[in-house]
Amino acid sequence: MLAMERIGYILGVFAALVAVIYGFWNEWSEPIGVVCLVVTALLGFMIAGYLNITRRKLDGVPPEDDPLGEISDIAGDYGFFSPYSWWPLWLGVSCALIFLGLAIGWWVVALGALFVIPALVGWVFEYWKGPHAL
């Protein structure tokens, strides 16, 4: 976790320096690039800050920072994943239709929204009833 925190700080400092250099290079006449680089710097600092706070709350050395640690020290439960769910496919197709509608026309966005709502509800409540209920 300490290495990831350092990478976040390095990304933040690098993006901030590049934002200043980029601003001076084009004499602050093009603000979009500077804004994007500043936001990238802030996101790098945000990730590093979150990892710093999380690392300080843990007791002792996290397993990934222990030089004598074993791979099995990090093992744990990653959660429950559906083995054969079709709902993410329909949700992805619906979202692609919505984003395609942003380029083509608003009527395609409305059509995609009609498909995304049942796909999202179906995915959320997939294990609510039926043979695979939890």
Side-chain angles (χ1 to χ4, degrees):
M1 190 176 299
L2 186 61
M4 293 183 289
E5 180 184 334
R6 289 180 181 161
I7 290 172
Y9 284 129
I10 289 169
L11 174 69
V13 169
F14 175 76
L17 287 175
V18 171
V20 171
I21 293 169
Y22 183 78
F24 280 119
W25 188 278
N26 66 15
E27 298 170 355
W28 305 100
S29 62
E30 195 272 312
I32 301 301
V34 176
V35 169
C36 290
L37 287 167
V38 167
V39 168
T40 303
L42 292 174
L43 288 174
F45 288 131
M46 181 184 71
I47 291 169
Y50 170 76
L51 291 173
N52 186 358
I53 291 169
T54 304
R55 183 178 50 84
R56 285 189 285 145
K57 285 183 181 179
L58 294 175
D59 295 332
V61 178
E64 60 265 17
D65 289 340
D66 187 11
L68 301 176
E70 297 290 327
I71 299 277
S72 61
D73 294 341
I74 301 176
D77 185 21
Y78 288 109
F80 174 77
F81 299 98
S82 299
Y84 50 86
S85 177
W86 285 90
W87 290 111
L89 173 69
W90 300 120
L91 189 62
V93 168
S94 303
C95 289
L97 195 62
I98 288 174
F99 285 111
L100 179 69
L102 294 176
I104 293 176
W106 289 104
W107 64 274
V108 181
V109 173
L111 184 66
L114 288 175
F115 290 128
V116 81
I117 292 170
L120 184 61
V121 170
W123 194 26
V124 168
F125 293 109
E126 180 176 12
Y127 291 100
W128 189 265
K129 284 185 171 183
H132 306 294
L134 292 178

